[in-house]
Amino acid sequence: MKRQIINIWSLIDPFYLKCTRLQCLEQIIGKYNIFRIRLTRYKGREVVLSDGTVIQKNDLLVKIHLHNVRVLKEMDSMDGKLKILFLYKAAYYSMPALALYVLQHEQRDHIKGIIGITMIEKGYDRLGFESFTFSSSMYTLFKRISLYPIHLLANSKSSSKRKKTPVPRYLFMSKDSLSNKYGSLHRNIA
């Protein structure tokens, strides 16, 4: 059943990509990458990152999405711990291309950083992300409902052990942190 859902999702995914205006970073850079991206204006509450970067309403950010259907296909035959390791490594090796994209973007002087939304509970901090909860309980509920199918597909065998669905949250990284951590690594992707 899980494979059938993922196969159907694969057919629908190109339409989703067009509707959301996302771009596959892999197609821009030309190397393996699990991120899809687009420029966005931030609409949440003000947040202050650990490096002092202040993200305010209407700041320009690069929004990142995992290419979920692809990642789910690639993780299909793996057990829980291997899935976590695979996802971490795939994200880690995708970060230099993201840094290159931001640092070479025509609006790089206006981009404050990157933003994503996740239900993943561990590992993002090791990548350099900082997490913040949503200020709106309605938005939290909306995101919890919309991300729940992905959560179920990714955790189909181990989800019965979980008592509670993780809470979705923002992930932020400032442009300076991205550049400092991954900017020099982009030579490996060229």
Side-chain angles (χ1 to χ4, degrees), residues 43-71:
K43 298 300 178 193
R45 73 178 194 282
E46 180 179 296
V47 295
V48 180
L49 304 181
S50 61
D51 68 357
T53 301
V54 179
I55 308 289
Q56 299 173 319
K57 189 173 182 177
N58 292 319
D59 280 346
L60 188 62
L61 301 171
V62 173
K63 185 170 189 177
I64 60 171
H65 287 243
L66 289 178
H67 191 160
N68 287 305
V69 71
R70 177 183 182 175
V71 170

Side-chain angles (χ1 to χ4, degrees), residues 20-188:
T20 57
R21 300 172 309 162
L22 291 168
Q23 296 179 283
C24 293
L25 191 53
E26 181 174 270
Q27 292 174 349
I28 297 168
I29 301 297
K31 294 277 187 176
Y32 177 85
N33 201 288
I34 63 167
F35 293 129
R36 294 167 157 189
I37 57 172
R38 73 175 169 90
L39 288 181
T40 190
R41 294 281 175 187
Y42 178 60
K43 298 300 178 193
R45 73 178 194 282
E46 180 179 296
V47 295
V48 180
L49 304 181
S50 61
D51 68 357
T53 301
V54 179
I55 308 289
Q56 299 173 319
K57 189 173 182 177
N58 292 319
D59 280 346
L60 188 62
L61 301 171
V62 173
K63 185 170 189 177
I64 60 171
H65 287 243
L66 289 178
H67 191 160
N68 287 305
V69 71
R70 177 183 182 175
V71 170
L72 288 171
K73 279 183 175 181
E74 291 174 359
M75 294 188 319
D76 187 43
S77 62
M78 299 177 194
D79 72 5
K81 291 187 179 185
L82 280 178
K83 286 180 181 181
I84 294 166
L85 182 60
F86 168 81
L87 186 57
Y88 173 81
K89 284 189 171 189
Y92 178 79
Y93 289 115
S94 295
M95 293 298 290
L98 181 60
L100 182 63
Y101 172 82
V102 171
L103 296 172
Q104 290 184 345
H105 197 280
E106 61 187 19
Q107 294 194 54
R108 67 183 163 272
D109 294 337
H110 303 287
I111 295 171
K112 281 262 192 113
I114 56 177
I115 184 173
I117 295 175
T118 191
M119 286 178 75
I120 297 170
E121 298 176 295
K122 296 178 183 174
Y124 55 79
D125 53 336
R126 288 179 38 199
L127 292 169
F129 288 99
E130 298 177 54
S131 73
F132 294 85
T133 57
F134 305 133
S135 57
S136 165
S137 58
M138 289 303 291
Y139 190 64
T140 302
L141 179 63
F142 168 73
K143 280 302 183 183
R144 196 174 218 163
I145 291 168
S146 65
L147 294 174
Y148 190 70
I150 297 167
H151 172 72
L152 277 180
L153 288 170
N155 298 296
S156 60
K157 292 179 184 170
S158 61
S159 62
S160 60
K161 297 176 188 174
R162 289 191 83 85
K163 295 179 182 169
K164 200 173 168 184
T165 304
V167 176
R169 50 186 44 244
Y170 284 124
L171 293 181
F172 287 100
M173 187 184 302
S174 71
K175 181 175 63 178
D176 289 343
S177 292
L178 179 68
S179 175
N180 292 337
K181 189 165 178 87
Y182 298 103
S184 63
L185 298 177
H186 69 74
R187 286 186 293 273
N188 296 334

